[in-house]
C-alpha cells in the first residue's frame, strides 16, 4: 500500500534526446509527488513536484505528467544534457498529516554525447 | 537562506558502538525528517519531528532514535551499531504547511560501521 515503483533502473540517452522515467503508486491518499535529483556525494535536491489536481507541470526542460486514474506519474527531461547525468528519485507523500515521503528505488540516468 | 546542514559528514565506527548525528534545518523550518539511504534499500524513512515531537516513525528497530530541540535542530542516535547500519543518513527540513510540501535535503552523513 505504501510502495512507489520506479522504472527503469538505469537509462542511457543521447545528448539532446528525451529522458523518460516512470513511477506508479498504490496509495490513493497520496497527494504530493516530487522528483528529486541526486549527484554522487550529495543529498537529493528537489527538481519539480506536482499535486493530483493538475495533469502536467513544466519547469524549464523538466515536465511531470500525472495520470490520477492510472496512479502513475512520469518525469520527462527534454533536450537532455550531460549535466543531467544523475540518479533520479520519484516520491509520494502527504496523506499522513506529516512530512513522510515514500521514495521510488531510483533511476541512474546517463547522457552520452 | 543557508541550506540544511549535517554534521559530521563522515563517520567511522565499530560494531557495538553508538553514534549521534546532527542536523540543522533551514531557518524557519520546523519539521525535520531523517532518512537512511543504502544501495540495496534505497531511501527509507526513519522518523519525522515537528515542534520537538515525533510525528511519524518508519520501520526501524528501537536502536534508532531521535529528538528535536526547541530551535528545530535535530539529532538522531543509533545504539549498538551493526554492520548493516552503514549508510548515508539524510536529514530533510520542511516549512510548516497544512499539507505535506517541499522537503529540502542536507548533504548527509556517511556512516561506515567496521
Amino acid at each position: 500500500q505504501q510502495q512507489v515503483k520506479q522504472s527503469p533502473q538505469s537509462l542511457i540517452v543521447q545528448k539532446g534526446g528525451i529522458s523518460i522515467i516512470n513511477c506508479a503508486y498504490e496509495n490513493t491518499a497520496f497527494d504530493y509527488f516530487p522528483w528529486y535529483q541526486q549527484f554522487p556525494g550529495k543529498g537529493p535536491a528537489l527538481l519539480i513536484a506536482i499535486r493530483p489536481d493538475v495533469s502536467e507541470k513544466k519547469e524549464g526542460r523538466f515536465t511531470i505528467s500525472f495520470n490520477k486514474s492510472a496512479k502513475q506519474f512520469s518525469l520527462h527531461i527534454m533536450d537532455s544534457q550531460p549535466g543531467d547525468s544523475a540518479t533520479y528519485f520519484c516520491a509520494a507523500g502527504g496523506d499522513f498529516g506529516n512530512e513522510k515521503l515514500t521514495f521510488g528505488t531510483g533511476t541512474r540516468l546517463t547522457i552520452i554525447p | 537562506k543557508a541550506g540544511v546542514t549535517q554534521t559530521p559528514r563522515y563517520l567511522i565506527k565499530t560494531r557495538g558502538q553508538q553514534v549521534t548525528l546532527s542536523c540543522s534545518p533551514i531557518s524557519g523550518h520546523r519539521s525535520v525528517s531523517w532518512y537512511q539511504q543504502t544501495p540495496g534499500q534505497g531511501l527509507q524513512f526513519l522518523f519525522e519531528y515537528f515542534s520537538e515531537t515525533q510525528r511519524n516513525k518508519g520501520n526501524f528497530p528501537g536502536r534508532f532514535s531521535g529528538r528535536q530541540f526547541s530551535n528545530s535542530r535535530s539529532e538522531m542516535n543509533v545504539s549498538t551499531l551493526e554492520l548493516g547500519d552503514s549508510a548515508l543518513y539524510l536529514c530533510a527540513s520542511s516549512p510548516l504547511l497544512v499539507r505535506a510540501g517541499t522537503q529540502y535535503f542536507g548533504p548527509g552523513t556517511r556512516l561506515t560501521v567496521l
Side-chain angles (χ1 to χ4, degrees):
Chain A
Q1 190 73 4
Q2 304 300 323
Q3 269 191 318
V4 176
K5 295 182 181 178
Q6 183 172 346
S7 63
Q9 192 173 8
S10 62
L11 182 62
I12 299 174
V13 174
Q14 201 136 25
K15 179 183 174 183
I18 303 174
S19 304
I20 302 174
I21 304 170
N22 301 298
C23 284
Y25 63 98
E26 298 171 1
N27 188 341
T28 56
F30 285 140
D31 72 348
Y32 177 67
F33 303 89
W35 284 88
Y36 283 85
Q37 179 190 57
Q38 186 176 30
F39 293 104
K42 305 287 187 182
L46 179 70
L47 203 56
I48 186 172
I50 197 169
R51 298 214 184 255
D53 47 353
V54 296
S55 60
E56 186 175 281
K57 184 174 181 180
K58 183 176 180 179
E59 288 183 3
R61 297 185 294 109
F62 301 93
T63 299
I64 298 179
S65 296
F66 186 82
N67 186 329
K68 189 174 181 179
S69 60
K71 293 186 285 184
Q72 295 175 348
F73 58 110
S74 60
L75 176 69
H76 292 62
I77 305 174
M78 314 300 286
D79 187 26
S80 299
Q81 300 296 312
D84 297 331
S85 297
T87 300
Y88 292 82
F89 293 92
C90 63
D95 66 327
F96 308 110
N98 55 53
E99 304 299 307
K100 174 183 174 180
L101 288 175
T102 300
F103 281 85
T105 49
T107 296
R108 180 169 290 184
L109 174 65
T110 303
I111 308 300
I112 55 175
Chain B
K1 276 186 180 178
V4 177
T5 58
Q6 292 186 245
T7 56
R9 292 292 312 278
Y10 302 91
L11 208 47
I12 299 175
K13 292 285 188 179
T14 56
R15 277 182 300 173
Q17 287 186 309
Q18 78 165 28
V19 67
T20 299
L21 312 181
S22 181
C23 171
S24 293
I26 293 172
S27 177
H29 287 195
R30 295 170 61 184
S31 170
V32 173
S33 300
W34 288 90
Y35 293 82
Q36 181 196 64
Q37 185 175 25
T38 60
Q41 299 297 318
L43 278 149
Q44 291 190 292
F45 174 78
L46 279 156
F47 28 66
E48 184 230 348
Y49 286 87
F50 176 76
S51 290
E52 302 178 64
T53 301
Q54 187 181 89
R55 289 206 295 190
N56 197 17
K57 190 177 190 302
N59 297 323
F60 280 82
R63 300 184 298 106
F64 292 82
S65 62
R67 60 177 175 169
Q68 186 181 34
F69 302 95
S70 58
N71 61 359
S72 294
R73 191 176 68 85
S74 177
E75 289 182 345
M76 70 162 279
N77 184 276
V78 187
S79 62
T80 319
L81 284 166
E82 301 177 0
L83 295 178
D85 297 334
S86 294
L88 181 67
Y89 289 89
L90 293 159
C91 167
S93 77
S94 178
L96 169 61
L97 289 173
V98 175
R99 298 166 73 189
T102 303
Q103 288 192 43
Y104 298 88
F105 282 83
T109 294
R110 172 74 63 185
L111 172 64
T112 302
V113 182
L114 302 176

